[in-house]
């Protein structure tokens, strides 16, 4: 049987204690580096943020608001009708607009009503603007052929409009948007904080 005199036990110094703080510091440094690299990858390849300039998407998105754009979604799927998208309009300018026409669609507006393939479509996202206009026409009449010379949206392209139809440069002026020019889909507005919302 083994006995121990507790009163005479001496404190033994842990030879690893000195090294522990260095290991802990290295562990935290590695963690921060990994988080930083992941953040760069997410920022560069999956999501990005934009500041919206101008009034072409009012009242959905206002001048000066900051938005998050999902860049990876359209790598694995196609845009859906009424998505809010960012695309390269010129070499140094990106636009945000709403997808109205998909490949193969015929588009026309008549009496402020959208017709896609001769079927009327509600644009509920325009209700607030219509109320503010007190019955004025928001979208002037046109057909796809009138403004583009095409009967249908070509393959590999989309037709886009700004929500502020009276003050927007969109497919009525610049024509169809090639799919490869799309940066991504706008997911949320995050600034100013009181205007935070998902799209």
């Amino acid at each position: 049987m083994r006995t121990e005199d507790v009163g005479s036990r001496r404190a033994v110094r842990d030879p690893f204690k000195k090294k522990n703080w260095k290991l802990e510091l290295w562990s935290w440094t590695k963690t921060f580096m990994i988080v930083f690299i992941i953040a760069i990858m997410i920022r560069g390849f999956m999501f990005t943020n934009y500041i919206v300039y101008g009034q072409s998407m009012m009242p959905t998105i206002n001048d000066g608001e900051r938005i998050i754009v999902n860049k990876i979604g359209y790598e694995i799927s196609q845009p859906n009708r009424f998505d809010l998208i960012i695309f390269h309009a010129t070499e140094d300018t990106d636009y945000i607009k709403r997808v109205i026409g998909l490949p193969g669609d015929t588009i026309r507006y008549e009496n402020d009503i959208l017709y896609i393939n001769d079927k009327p479509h509600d644009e509920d996202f325009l209700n607030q603007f219509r109320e503010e206009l007190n019955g004025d026409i928001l979208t002037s009449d046109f057909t796809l052929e009138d403004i583009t010379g095409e009967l249908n949206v070509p393959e590999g392209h989309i037709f886009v409009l700004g929500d502020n139809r009276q003050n927007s440069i969109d497919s009525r002026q610049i024509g169809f948007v090639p799919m490869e020019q799309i940066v991504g889909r706008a997911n949320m507005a995050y600034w100013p904080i009181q205007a935070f919302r998902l799209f």
Side-chain angles (χ1 to χ4, degrees):
M1 183 190 296
R2 185 175 170 224
T3 61
E4 234 179 72
D5 184 357
V6 176
S8 64
R9 189 183 302 165
R10 294 172 119 191
V12 179
R13 182 171 293 184
D14 183 354
F16 298 104
K17 195 169 187 182
K18 218 174 205 182
K19 293 181 182 178
N20 279 349
W21 72 269
K22 290 181 181 177
L23 290 173
E24 188 73 19
L25 179 62
W26 175 238
S27 176
W28 278 104
T29 303
K30 284 192 298 186
T31 301
F32 282 123
M33 286 169 55
I34 290 167
V35 168
F36 180 73
I37 290 167
I38 290 171
I40 293 288
M41 290 174 64
I42 289 173
R43 170 74 168 80
F45 300 108
M46 298 178 72
F47 296 94
T48 190
N49 63 319
Y50 277 83
I51 302 174
V52 176
Y53 295 104
Q55 301 178 342
S56 72
M57 287 304 297
M58 287 178 59
T60 307
I61 304 173
N62 295 303
D63 182 44
E65 288 189 323
R66 294 174 184 261
I67 61 172
I68 297 289
V69 175
N70 177 345
K71 296 169 67 176
I72 198 72
Y74 294 147
E75 296 294 325
I76 55 177
S77 67
Q78 296 294 312
N80 294 311
R81 195 178 321 284
F82 303 137
D83 281 357
L84 296 174
I85 64 158
I86 302 285
F87 64 95
H88 300 309
T90 66
E91 284 187 13
D92 57 358
T93 306
D94 292 347
Y95 284 177
I96 180 166
K97 303 294 173 188
R98 191 179 293 276
V99 176
I100 301 297
L102 299 170
D105 285 344
T106 61
I107 307 286
R108 82 175 194 274
Y109 274 86
E110 193 175 308
N111 298 321
D112 213 11
I113 297 172
L114 167 63
Y115 290 85
I116 301 173
N117 303 323
D118 295 323
K119 293 180 182 175
H121 281 67
D122 290 330
E123 296 180 281
D124 295 336
F125 47 86
L126 297 179
N127 288 346
Q128 179 186 339
F129 220 147
R130 286 196 171 111
E131 288 171 14
E132 293 171 7
L133 289 173
N134 295 320
D136 287 348
I137 295 291
L138 181 59
T139 311
S140 301
D141 290 357
F142 71 83
T143 68
L144 201 59
E145 188 176 16
D146 290 341
I147 58 175
T148 68
E150 300 283 344
L151 291 172
N152 305 86
V153 179
E155 284 301 316
H157 293 74
I158 54 173
F159 184 89
V160 299
L161 294 175
D163 286 357
N164 184 356
R165 302 289 166 75
Q166 297 177 341
N167 185 20
S168 174
I169 296 173
D170 46 43
S171 285
R172 292 172 294 181
Q173 294 83 28
I174 64 173
F176 302 110
V177 175
M179 294 280 195
E180 61 266 20
Q181 297 300 319
I182 298 174
V183 175
R185 180 180 186 272
N187 284 135
M188 72 174 73
Y190 69 93
W191 193 263
I193 195 67
Q194 66 271 19
F196 174 87
R197 62 203 181 280
L198 301 176
F199 301 125

